[in-house]
Amino acid sequence: SSGINAEWPLRPGFDRVRVEPTDSSFQECIDFARNTAPGAFLAIGGGSVIDTAKAANLYNTYPEADLLDFVNAPIGKGLPVNRTLQPLLAIPTTAGTGSETTGVAVFDYEPLKAKTGIANRAIRPTLGFVDPDNLVSMPARVTAYSGFDVLCHAIESYTAIPYKERGPAPSNPSMRPAYQGSNPLSDIWSRHACHITAKYFRRAVKDPEDYEAREQMHLASSMAGVGFGNAGVHLCHGLSYSISGLNRSYKSTDYPEDKLIPHGLSVCITAPSVFAATADSDLDRHAEIAEILGGKPCRKEDAGAVLADVLRDYLHDLGVPDGLNALGYTDEDIPALVQGALPQKRVLAISPISTEAEPLAEIYANSMKNY
C-alpha cells in the first residue's frame, strides 16, 4: 500500500489493489511480484488487499503457472500446491473477511462475470496482526457490510454439512479441500463469533467512536475466520458471487468504485431466505443461533422462520437495501443468477440442502424483497 513509512527497509509496494479484485487486478499484482522478486509479503488492508497478496505470493512461487492453474474447478484447474511459499504477514484494516486467517483468495472472473477463487492451506498468511487501531477510519457502510460478512461466516460454518458427511475423500491428501464442513473445533469459534456480533455489531455501526465495539468486531472477524476457514461457508456466499458479478449499475456509499455491490452486502441480502431454507437440516442449531442473536426461544419447528426474522431485523436496523430489487435485480434475472451460482462447487459442496437449480432459484426469488 502507498503512504506507509517505515524505518526498516521495504521494497517498493503495490498500491493498485482493486476493491473486489478481478482476474486482471490479480494478474497485475502477480506480474509486479514476479518482476520484483520479494523475499516476503506484507499485506495492509481489507480482504481485497490480503487476498491479492495471497495470489501474488502463490504465483510468484510458481513463475511458470497461468492464473487458472490454481483456481478452483470447474472454472480453473485446481492444481495442488506442493512448493513452500514466501512468508506473508497480514494486517487487516476492516473487520469482516477474516482473510488473515484463511487459505482462500476470492476474485471476480470477468470473462464469466462470476466470482471464483483459490482455496489452499498453502496460501494462508504466516502471521496476522489484529489491531483495532487500524479500524478507526472505517466508514459506516464498510463497518456494516464487513460486519454482516462476519455474521454470515459464523452462521454458515455452524450450519454447514457435518464433516463426517463431507465427501468423497480425495485420493491425494494434497487435494483435500480447505472446507471440511461443520466440526467440533470450528463450532467453538463460529458460535463465539455469533455471541460477540450479537453484543457489539449494532454498536460498531451506529457509533464510530465506540472503540470497544470495533475492537470486539475485529476479534469476531478473526474468530469467524478460523471457524469458516476450516468448516467453510455455503449458500449465502455461494449465491453472492453472481449477485456481485452481474451488477449492472448499483453503487454503494462509502466505497470508491462507480459500480459496486460490496461483498458483505451481496452475502447478507439472501441470508433470511437461506436460513429459512436450511433450518430443517438442523433445527436445534438454527434455533440456537436465533436465540444467540436476540430471538425469543421458539419451538424447534419454527427455528427457520424465527432466525429469518431476526436477520431481517438486523438488516433493516443497519440500513441494508430492501432485497435484490433494491440492487437492480428482478425475477427475470433469476436464471442468470442461478447459472452464476452453480459453478461455486467449493462452497455449495457443504450446503446442508440441495444445490440444484430449483432450490437456488427459490431463494433468489424470496430475496427480492426482505421487509
Side-chain angles (χ1 to χ4, degrees):
S1 180
S2 62
I4 297 173
N5 296 316
E7 295 181 359
W8 43 280
L10 289 172
R11 295 192 181 190
F14 182 83
D15 60 0
R16 297 184 297 280
V17 171
R18 188 183 187 278
V19 177
E20 306 297 337
T22 64
D23 52 311
S24 56
S25 74
F26 263 20
Q27 190 64 58
E28 184 182 4
C29 189
I30 290 165
D31 292 341
F32 179 88
R34 285 171 171 171
N35 289 330
T36 55
F41 289 79
L42 173 64
I44 304 174
S48 296
V49 171
I50 299 171
D51 283 5
T52 299
K54 292 175 184 177
N57 192 12
L58 173 62
Y59 289 92
N60 182 60
T61 305
Y62 285 85
E64 75 284 1
D66 293 324
L67 182 63
L68 292 181
D69 283 352
F70 297 105
V71 171
N72 304 317
I75 292 175
K77 297 178 181 178
L79 296 179
V81 179
N82 48 31
R83 298 179 189 171
T84 301
L85 276 59
Q86 300 281 13
L88 167 58
L89 312 181
I91 303 178
T93 60
T94 62
T97 67
S99 185
E100 71 277 6
T101 70
T102 72
V104 177
V106 177
F107 66 95
D108 287 312
Y109 186 56
E110 294 171 304
L112 296 180
K113 293 185 177 180
K115 258 198 168 49
T116 185
I118 305 159
N120 194 292
R121 290 170 181 78
I123 68 173
R124 182 183 288 131
T126 311
L127 286 175
F129 296 90
V130 179
D131 184 347
D133 284 349
N134 294 323
L135 306 183
V136 294
S137 62
M138 194 164 59
R141 285 299 85 200
V142 179
T143 303
Y145 294 145
S146 59
F148 275 114
D149 200 20
V150 174
L151 183 58
C152 289
H153 284 157
I155 304 176
E156 287 175 76
S157 57
Y158 194 61
T159 58
I161 187 173
Y163 75 101
K164 292 181 180 180
E165 300 175 20
R166 178 77 162 90
S171 57
N172 183 344
S174 67
M175 297 298 291
R176 183 171 177 259
Y179 291 170
Q180 292 295 300
S182 61
N183 61 80
L185 291 178
S186 289
D187 288 350
I188 294 170
W189 296 98
S190 300
R191 189 189 301 111
H192 192 54
C194 284
H195 278 286
I196 295 176
T197 302
K199 184 174 182 179
Y200 293 103
F201 185 17
R202 286 185 167 99
R203 283 172 51 181
V205 175
K206 294 184 177 184
D207 182 4
E209 302 300 320
D210 190 336
Y211 187 87
E212 181 189 19
R214 295 209 169 203
E215 177 183 47
Q216 291 299 317
M217 286 303 297
H218 211 13
L219 288 173
S221 176
S222 292
M223 291 175 180
V226 174
F228 92 84
N230 293 280
V233 289
H234 53 82
L235 289 176
C236 293
H237 278 75
L239 299 180
S240 76
Y241 297 143
S242 55
I243 294 172
S244 57
L246 296 174
N247 179 33
R248 288 185 286 266
S249 60
Y250 185 82
K251 181 189 185 311
S252 176
T253 56
D254 292 339
Y255 287 82
E257 279 68 22
D258 292 333
K259 185 182 74 170
L260 177 73
I261 298 177
H263 173 65
L265 172 57
S266 69
V267 167
C268 72
I269 205 81
T270 62
S273 298
V274 163
F275 295 112
T278 60
D280 284 344
S281 68
D282 194 324
L283 291 167
D284 288 330
R285 286 191 174 224
H286 286 72
E288 179 186 6
I289 293 298
E291 191 169 348
I292 289 172
L293 296 179
K296 294 181 180 179
C298 65
R299 298 180 305 171
K300 284 203 303 185
E301 57 265 35
D302 295 331
V306 172
L307 179 54
D309 284 344
V310 169
L311 290 171
R312 287 189 189 97
D313 184 61
Y314 273 84
L315 295 172
H316 186 267
D317 189 33
L318 297 178
V320 175
D322 186 10
L324 292 172
N325 284 162
L327 306 186
Y329 291 106
T330 68
D331 287 345
E332 294 180 355
D333 297 308
I334 291 176
L337 289 167
V338 170
Q339 287 305 307
L342 288 174
Q344 310 301 329
K345 304 298 185 185
R346 170 180 61 92
V347 293
L348 297 185
I350 60 167
S351 167
I353 63 172
S354 169
T355 55
E356 298 296 324
E358 185 175 349
L360 300 187
E362 184 175 355
I363 291 172
Y364 280 124
N366 293 337
S367 301
M368 287 294 165
K369 287 189 71 67
N370 281 325
Y371 315 132

mmCIF file with all atom_site columns, all heavy atoms in Angstrom, residues 331-350:
data_model
loop_
_atom_site.group_PDB
_atom_site.id
_atom_site.type_symbol
_atom_site.label_atom_id
_atom_site.label_alt_id
_atom_site.label_comp_id
_atom_site.label_asym_id
_atom_site.label_entity_id
_atom_site.label_seq_id
_atom_site.pdbx_PDB_ins_code
_atom_site.Cartn_x
_atom_site.Cartn_y
_atom_site.Cartn_z
_atom_site.occupancy
_atom_site.B_iso_or_equiv
_atom_site.pdbx_formal_charge
_atom_site.auth_seq_id
_atom_site.auth_comp_id
_atom_site.auth_asym_id
_atom_site.auth_atom_id
_atom_site.pdbx_PDB_model_num
ATOM 1   N N   . ASP A 1 331 ? -37.204 -10.572 -11.101 1.00 0.00 ? 331 ASP A N   1
ATOM 2   C CA  . ASP A 1 331 ? -37.395 -12.021 -11.282 1.00 0.00 ? 331 ASP A CA  1
ATOM 3   C C   . ASP A 1 331 ? -36.829 -12.502 -12.611 1.00 0.00 ? 331 ASP A C   1
ATOM 4   O O   . ASP A 1 331 ? -36.429 -13.674 -12.726 1.00 0.00 ? 331 ASP A O   1
ATOM 5   C CB  . ASP A 1 331 ? -38.880 -12.364 -11.201 1.00 0.00 ? 331 ASP A CB  1
ATOM 6   C CG  . ASP A 1 331 ? -39.426 -12.272 -9.781  1.00 0.00 ? 331 ASP A CG  1
ATOM 7   O OD1 . ASP A 1 331 ? -38.606 -12.214 -8.837  1.00 0.00 ? 331 ASP A OD1 1
ATOM 8   O OD2 . ASP A 1 331 ? -40.658 -12.246 -9.613  1.00 0.00 ? 331 ASP A OD2 1
ATOM 9   N N   . GLU A 1 332 ? -36.764 -11.638 -13.601 1.00 0.00 ? 332 GLU A N   1
ATOM 10  C CA  . GLU A 1 332 ? -36.225 -12.043 -14.901 1.00 0.00 ? 332 GLU A CA  1
ATOM 11  C C   . GLU A 1 332 ? -34.734 -12.352 -14.824 1.00 0.00 ? 332 GLU A C   1
ATOM 12  O O   . GLU A 1 332 ? -34.194 -13.045 -15.692 1.00 0.00 ? 332 GLU A O   1
ATOM 13  C CB  . GLU A 1 332 ? -36.473 -10.945 -15.934 1.00 0.00 ? 332 GLU A CB  1
ATOM 14  C CG  . GLU A 1 332 ? -37.949 -10.731 -16.259 1.00 0.00 ? 332 GLU A CG  1
ATOM 15  C CD  . GLU A 1 332 ? -38.164 -9.627  -17.282 1.00 0.00 ? 332 GLU A CD  1
ATOM 16  O OE1 . GLU A 1 332 ? -37.153 -8.976  -17.659 1.00 0.00 ? 332 GLU A OE1 1
ATOM 17  O OE2 . GLU A 1 332 ? -39.317 -9.412  -17.690 1.00 0.00 ? 332 GLU A OE2 1
ATOM 18  N N   . ASP A 1 333 ? -34.055 -11.866 -13.799 1.00 0.00 ? 333 ASP A N   1
ATOM 19  C CA  . ASP A 1 333 ? -32.615 -12.105 -13.641 1.00 0.00 ? 333 ASP A CA  1
ATOM 20  C C   . ASP A 1 333 ? -32.308 -13.418 -12.932 1.00 0.00 ? 333 ASP A C   1
ATOM 21  O O   . ASP A 1 333 ? -31.143 -13.832 -12.887 1.00 0.00 ? 333 ASP A O   1
ATOM 22  C CB  . ASP A 1 333 ? -31.970 -10.960 -12.843 1.00 0.00 ? 333 ASP A CB  1
ATOM 23  C CG  . ASP A 1 333 ? -32.063 -9.625  -13.561 1.00 0.00 ? 333 ASP A CG  1
ATOM 24  O OD1 . ASP A 1 333 ? -31.666 -9.573  -14.732 1.00 0.00 ? 333 ASP A OD1 1
ATOM 25  O OD2 . ASP A 1 333 ? -32.533 -8.663  -12.936 1.00 0.00 ? 333 ASP A OD2 1
ATOM 26  N N   . ILE A 1 334 ? -33.325 -14.082 -12.385 1.00 0.00 ? 334 ILE A N   1
ATOM 27  C CA  . ILE A 1 334 ? -33.065 -15.274 -11.562 1.00 0.00 ? 334 ILE A CA  1
ATOM 28  C C   . ILE A 1 334 ? -32.336 -16.371 -12.333 1.00 0.00 ? 334 ILE A C   1
ATOM 29  O O   . ILE A 1 334 ? -31.369 -16.956 -11.808 1.00 0.00 ? 334 ILE A O   1
ATOM 30  C CB  . ILE A 1 334 ? -34.376 -15.783 -10.927 1.00 0.00 ? 334 ILE A CB  1
ATOM 31  C CG1 . ILE A 1 334 ? -34.858 -14.784 -9.867  1.00 0.00 ? 334 ILE A CG1 1
ATOM 32  C CG2 . ILE A 1 334 ? -34.177 -17.177 -10.310 1.00 0.00 ? 334 ILE A CG2 1
ATOM 33  C CD1 . ILE A 1 334 ? -36.187 -15.131 -9.237  1.00 0.00 ? 334 ILE A CD1 1
ATOM 34  N N   . PRO A 1 335 ? -32.709 -16.702 -13.570 1.00 0.00 ? 335 PRO A N   1
ATOM 35  C CA  . PRO A 1 335 ? -31.951 -17.747 -14.280 1.00 0.00 ? 335 PRO A CA  1
ATOM 36  C C   . PRO A 1 335 ? -30.466 -17.431 -14.402 1.00 0.00 ? 335 PRO A C   1
ATOM 37  O O   . PRO A 1 335 ? -29.619 -18.324 -14.218 1.00 0.00 ? 335 PRO A O   1
ATOM 38  C CB  . PRO A 1 335 ? -32.636 -17.818 -15.647 1.00 0.00 ? 335 PRO A CB  1
ATOM 39  C CG  . PRO A 1 335 ? -34.038 -17.356 -15.384 1.00 0.00 ? 335 PRO A CG  1
ATOM 40  C CD  . PRO A 1 335 ? -33.901 -16.284 -14.353 1.00 0.00 ? 335 PRO A CD  1
ATOM 41  N N   . ALA A 1 336 ? -30.124 -16.176 -14.687 1.00 0.00 ? 336 ALA A N   1
ATOM 42  C CA  . ALA A 1 336 ? -28.711 -15.807 -14.806 1.00 0.00 ? 336 ALA A CA  1
ATOM 43  C C   . ALA A 1 336 ? -28.019 -15.867 -13.450 1.00 0.00 ? 336 ALA A C   1
ATOM 44  O O   . ALA A 1 336 ? -26.849 -16.288 -13.355 1.00 0.00 ? 336 ALA A O   1
ATOM 45  C CB  . ALA A 1 336 ? -28.580 -14.405 -15.407 1.00 0.00 ? 336 ALA A CB  1
ATOM 46  N N   . LEU A 1 337 ? -28.708 -15.453 -12.406 1.00 0.00 ? 337 LEU A N   1
ATOM 47  C CA  . LEU A 1 337 ? -28.127 -15.533 -11.064 1.00 0.00 ? 337 LEU A CA  1
ATOM 48  C C   . LEU A 1 337 ? -27.850 -16.983 -10.688 1.00 0.00 ? 337 LEU A C   1
ATOM 49  O O   . LEU A 1 337 ? -26.796 -17.302 -10.131 1.00 0.00 ? 337 LEU A O   1
ATOM 50  C CB  . LEU A 1 337 ? -29.074 -14.890 -10.047 1.00 0.00 ? 337 LEU A CB  1
ATOM 51  C CG  . LEU A 1 337 ? -29.214 -13.366 -10.113 1.00 0.00 ? 337 LEU A CG  1
ATOM 52  C CD1 . LEU A 1 337 ? -30.395 -12.897 -9.276  1.00 0.00 ? 337 LEU A CD1 1
ATOM 53  C CD2 . LEU A 1 337 ? -27.931 -12.683 -9.636  1.00 0.00 ? 337 LEU A CD2 1
ATOM 54  N N   . VAL A 1 338 ? -28.791 -17.859 -10.987 1.00 0.00 ? 338 VAL A N   1
ATOM 55  C CA  . VAL A 1 338 ? -28.602 -19.281 -10.679 1.00 0.00 ? 338 VAL A CA  1
ATOM 56  C C   . VAL A 1 338 ? -27.425 -19.847 -11.464 1.00 0.00 ? 338 VAL A C   1
ATOM 57  O O   . VAL A 1 338 ? -26.585 -20.580 -10.915 1.00 0.00 ? 338 VAL A O   1
ATOM 58  C CB  . VAL A 1 338 ? -29.891 -20.073 -10.980 1.00 0.00 ? 338 VAL A CB  1
ATOM 59  C CG1 . VAL A 1 338 ? -29.635 -21.579 -10.889 1.00 0.00 ? 338 VAL A CG1 1
ATOM 60  C CG2 . VAL A 1 338 ? -31.003 -19.672 -10.016 1.00 0.00 ? 338 VAL A CG2 1
ATOM 61  N N   . GLN A 1 339 ? -27.342 -19.521 -12.739 1.00 0.00 ? 339 GLN A N   1
ATOM 62  C CA  . GLN A 1 339 ? -26.250 -20.035 -13.561 1.00 0.00 ? 339 GLN A CA  1
ATOM 63  C C   . GLN A 1 339 ? -24.894 -19.548 -13.053 1.00 0.00 ? 339 GLN A C   1
ATOM 64  O O   . GLN A 1 339 ? -23.886 -20.257 -13.162 1.00 0.00 ? 339 GLN A O   1
ATOM 65  C CB  . GLN A 1 339 ? -26.452 -19.630 -15.018 1.00 0.00 ? 339 GLN A CB  1
ATOM 66  C CG  . GLN A 1 339 ? -27.570 -20.387 -15.710 1.00 0.00 ? 339 GLN A CG  1
ATOM 67  C CD  . GLN A 1 339 ? -27.398 -21.897 -15.619 1.00 0.00 ? 339 GLN A CD  1
ATOM 68  O OE1 . GLN A 1 339 ? -26.348 -22.441 -15.962 1.00 0.00 ? 339 GLN A OE1 1
ATOM 69  N NE2 . GLN A 1 339 ? -28.433 -22.579 -15.152 1.00 0.00 ? 339 GLN A NE2 1
ATOM 70  N N   . GLY A 1 340 ? -24.860 -18.352 -12.482 1.00 0.00 ? 340 GLY A N   1
ATOM 71  C CA  . GLY A 1 340 ? -23.619 -17.850 -11.903 1.00 0.00 ? 340 GLY A CA  1
ATOM 72  C C   . GLY A 1 340 ? -23.268 -18.510 -10.583 1.00 0.00 ? 340 GLY A C   1
ATOM 73  O O   . GLY A 1 340 ? -22.093 -18.557 -10.196 1.00 0.00 ? 340 GLY A O   1
ATOM 74  N N   . ALA A 1 341 ? -24.282 -19.037 -9.889  1.00 0.00 ? 341 ALA A N   1
ATOM 75  C CA  . ALA A 1 341 ? -24.045 -19.685 -8.597  1.00 0.00 ? 341 ALA A CA  1
ATOM 76  C C   . ALA A 1 341 ? -23.650 -21.147 -8.743  1.00 0.00 ? 341 ALA A C   1
ATOM 77  O O   . ALA A 1 341 ? -22.870 -21.670 -7.940  1.00 0.00 ? 341 ALA A O   1
ATOM 78  C CB  . ALA A 1 341 ? -25.293 -19.568 -7.715  1.00 0.00 ? 341 ALA A CB  1
ATOM 79  N N   . LEU A 1 342 ? -24.173 -21.822 -9.739  1.00 0.00 ? 342 LEU A N   1
ATOM 80  C CA  . LEU A 1 342 ? -23.963 -23.264 -9.865  1.00 0.00 ? 342 LEU A CA  1
ATOM 81  C C   . LEU A 1 342 ? -22.492 -23.678 -9.946  1.00 0.00 ? 342 LEU A C   1
ATOM 82  O O   . LEU A 1 342 ? -22.131 -24.748 -9.436  1.00 0.00 ? 342 LEU A O   1
ATOM 83  C CB  . LEU A 1 342 ? -24.728 -23.804 -11.086 1.00 0.00 ? 342 LEU A CB  1
ATOM 84  C CG  . LEU A 1 342 ? -26.255 -23.856 -10.914 1.00 0.00 ? 342 LEU A CG  1
ATOM 85  C CD1 . LEU A 1 342 ? -26.913 -24.259 -12.225 1.00 0.00 ? 342 LEU A CD1 1
ATOM 86  C CD2 . LEU A 1 342 ? -26.643 -24.837 -9.807  1.00 0.00 ? 342 LEU A CD2 1
ATOM 87  N N   . PRO A 1 343 ? -21.587 -22.883 -10.571 1.00 0.00 ? 343 PRO A N   1
ATOM 88  C CA  . PRO A 1 343 ? -20.177 -23.307 -10.606 1.00 0.00 ? 343 PRO A CA  1
ATOM 89  C C   . PRO A 1 343 ? -19.441 -23.199 -9.267  1.00 0.00 ? 343 PRO A C   1
ATOM 90  O O   . PRO A 1 343 ? -18.288 -23.639 -9.174  1.00 0.00 ? 343 PRO A O   1
ATOM 91  C CB  . PRO A 1 343 ? -19.547 -22.351 -11.636 1.00 0.00 ? 343 PRO A CB  1
ATOM 92  C CG  . PRO A 1 343 ? -20.677 -21.780 -12.407 1.00 0.00 ? 343 PRO A CG  1
ATOM 93  C CD  . PRO A 1 343 ? -21.804 -21.719 -11.439 1.00 0.00 ? 343 PRO A CD  1
ATOM 94  N N   . GLN A 1 344 ? -20.086 -22.656 -8.226  1.00 0.00 ? 344 GLN A N   1
ATOM 95  C CA  . GLN A 1 344 ? -19.391 -22.423 -6.961  1.00 0.00 ? 344 GLN A CA  1
ATOM 96  C C   . GLN A 1 344 ? -19.330 -23.706 -6.131  1.00 0.00 ? 344 GLN A C   1
ATOM 97  O O   . GLN A 1 344 ? -19.793 -23.781 -4.989  1.00 0.00 ? 344 GLN A O   1
ATOM 98  C CB  . GLN A 1 344 ? -20.076 -21.294 -6.182  1.00 0.00 ? 344 GLN A CB  1
ATOM 99  C CG  . GLN A 1 344 ? -20.332 -20.038 -6.971  1.00 0.00 ? 344 GLN A CG  1
ATOM 100 C CD  . GLN A 1 344 ? -19.057 -19.429 -7.531  1.00 0.00 ? 344 GLN A CD  1
ATOM 101 O OE1 . GLN A 1 344 ? -17.986 -19.548 -6.936  1.00 0.00 ? 344 GLN A OE1 1
ATOM 102 N NE2 . GLN A 1 344 ? -19.162 -18.759 -8.678  1.00 0.00 ? 344 GLN A NE2 1
ATOM 103 N N   . LYS A 1 345 ? -18.745 -24.744 -6.716  1.00 0.00 ? 345 LYS A N   1
ATOM 104 C CA  . LYS A 1 345 ? -18.733 -26.066 -6.093  1.00 0.00 ? 345 LYS A CA  1
ATOM 105 C C   . LYS A 1 345 ? -18.010 -26.061 -4.742  1.00 0.00 ? 345 LYS A C   1
ATOM 106 O O   . LYS A 1 345 ? -18.353 -26.826 -3.846  1.00 0.00 ? 345 LYS A O   1
ATOM 107 C CB  . LYS A 1 345 ? -18.073 -27.078 -7.029  1.00 0.00 ? 345 LYS A CB  1
ATOM 108 C CG  . LYS A 1 345 ? -18.713 -27.164 -8.404  1.00 0.00 ? 345 LYS A CG  1
ATOM 109 C CD  . LYS A 1 345 ? -20.160 -27.608 -8.335  1.00 0.00 ? 345 LYS A CD  1
ATOM 110 C CE  . LYS A 1 345 ? -20.742 -27.799 -9.725  1.00 0.00 ? 345 LYS A CE  1
ATOM 111 N NZ  . LYS A 1 345 ? -22.191 -28.120 -9.691  1.00 0.00 ? 345 LYS A NZ  1
ATOM 112 N N   . ARG A 1 346 ? -17.011 -25.220 -4.602  1.00 0.00 ? 346 ARG A N   1
ATOM 113 C CA  . ARG A 1 346 ? -16.218 -25.185 -3.363  1.00 0.00 ? 346 ARG A CA  1
ATOM 114 C C   . ARG A 1 346 ? -17.101 -24.936 -2.154  1.00 0.00 ? 346 ARG A C   1
ATOM 115 O O   . ARG A 1 346 ? -16.888 -25.529 -1.081  1.00 0.00 ? 346 ARG A O   1
ATOM 116 C CB  . ARG A 1 346 ? -15.160 -24.089 -3.490  1.00 0.00 ? 346 ARG A CB  1
ATOM 117 C CG  . ARG A 1 346 ? -14.405 -23.767 -2.222  1.00 0.00 ? 346 ARG A CG  1
ATOM 118 C CD  . ARG A 1 346 ? -13.384 -22.672 -2.484  1.00 0.00 ? 346 ARG A CD  1
ATOM 119 N NE  . ARG A 1 346 ? -13.993 -21.445 -2.937  1.00 0.00 ? 346 ARG A NE  1
ATOM 120 C CZ  . ARG A 1 346 ? -14.379 -20.448 -2.137  1.00 0.00 ? 346 ARG A CZ  1
ATOM 121 N NH1 . ARG A 1 346 ? -14.213 -20.541 -0.835  1.00 0.00 ? 346 ARG A NH1 1
ATOM 122 N NH2 . ARG A 1 346 ? -14.923 -19.359 -2.633  1.00 0.00 ? 346 ARG A NH2 1
ATOM 123 N N   . VAL A 1 347 ? -18.096 -24.068 -2.290  1.00 0.00 ? 347 VAL A N   1
ATOM 124 C CA  . VAL A 1 347 ? -18.957 -23.742 -1.160  1.00 0.00 ? 347 VAL A CA  1
ATOM 125 C C   . VAL A 1 347 ? -20.277 -24.508 -1.219  1.00 0.00 ? 347 VAL A C   1
ATOM 126 O O   . VAL A 1 347 ? -20.823 -24.892 -0.173  1.00 0.00 ? 347 VAL A O   1
ATOM 127 C CB  . VAL A 1 347 ? -19.206 -22.225 -1.061  1.00 0.00 ? 347 VAL A CB  1
ATOM 128 C CG1 . VAL A 1 347 ? -17.928 -21.510 -0.700  1.00 0.00 ? 347 VAL A CG1 1
ATOM 129 C CG2 . VAL A 1 347 ? -19.772 -21.662 -2.354  1.00 0.00 ? 347 VAL A CG2 1
ATOM 130 N N   . LEU A 1 348 ? -20.800 -24.742 -2.397  1.00 0.00 ? 348 LEU A N   1
ATOM 131 C CA  . LEU A 1 348 ? -22.058 -25.476 -2.490  1.00 0.00 ? 348 LEU A CA  1
ATOM 132 C C   . LEU A 1 348 ? -21.906 -26.905 -1.977  1.00 0.00 ? 348 LEU A C   1
ATOM 133 O O   . LEU A 1 348 ? -22.879 -27.520 -1.531  1.00 0.00 ? 348 LEU A O   1
ATOM 134 C CB  . LEU A 1 348 ? -22.565 -25.487 -3.935  1.00 0.00 ? 348 LEU A CB  1
ATOM 135 C CG  . LEU A 1 348 ? -22.906 -24.123 -4.560  1.00 0.00 ? 348 LEU A CG  1
ATOM 136 C CD1 . LEU A 1 348 ? -23.510 -24.316 -5.939  1.00 0.00 ? 348 LEU A CD1 1
ATOM 137 C CD2 . LEU A 1 348 ? -23.848 -23.313 -3.676  1.00 0.00 ? 348 LEU A CD2 1
ATOM 138 N N   . ALA A 1 349 ? -20.679 -27.437 -2.025  1.00 0.00 ? 349 ALA A N   1
ATOM 139 C CA  . ALA A 1 349 ? -20.453 -28.818 -1.600  1.00 0.00 ? 349 ALA A CA  1
ATOM 140 C C   . ALA A 1 349 ? -20.753 -29.032 -0.129  1.00 0.00 ? 349 ALA A C   1
ATOM 141 O O   . ALA A 1 349 ? -21.006 -30.170 0.286   1.00 0.00 ? 349 ALA A O   1
ATOM 142 C CB  . ALA A 1 349 ? -19.007 -29.216 -1.889  1.00 0.00 ? 349 ALA A CB  1
ATOM 143 N N   . ILE A 1 350 ? -20.732 -27.983 0.678   1.00 0.00 ? 350 ILE A N   1
ATOM 144 C CA  . ILE A 1 350 ? -21.009 -28.171 2.101   1.00 0.00 ? 350 ILE A CA  1
ATOM 145 C C   . ILE A 1 350 ? -22.352 -27.569 2.500   1.00 0.00 ? 350 ILE A C   1
ATOM 146 O O   . ILE A 1 350 ? -22.638 -27.410 3.685   1.00 0.00 ? 350 ILE A O   1
ATOM 147 C CB  . ILE A 1 350 ? -19.881 -27.608 2.987   1.00 0.00 ? 350 ILE A CB  1
ATOM 148 C CG1 . ILE A 1 350 ? -19.697 -26.117 2.769   1.00 0.00 ? 350 ILE A CG1 1
ATOM 149 C CG2 . ILE A 1 350 ? -18.580 -28.353 2.734   1.00 0.00 ? 350 ILE A CG2 1
ATOM 150 C CD1 . ILE A 1 350 ? -18.829 -25.495 3.825   1.00 0.00 ? 350 ILE A CD1 1
#
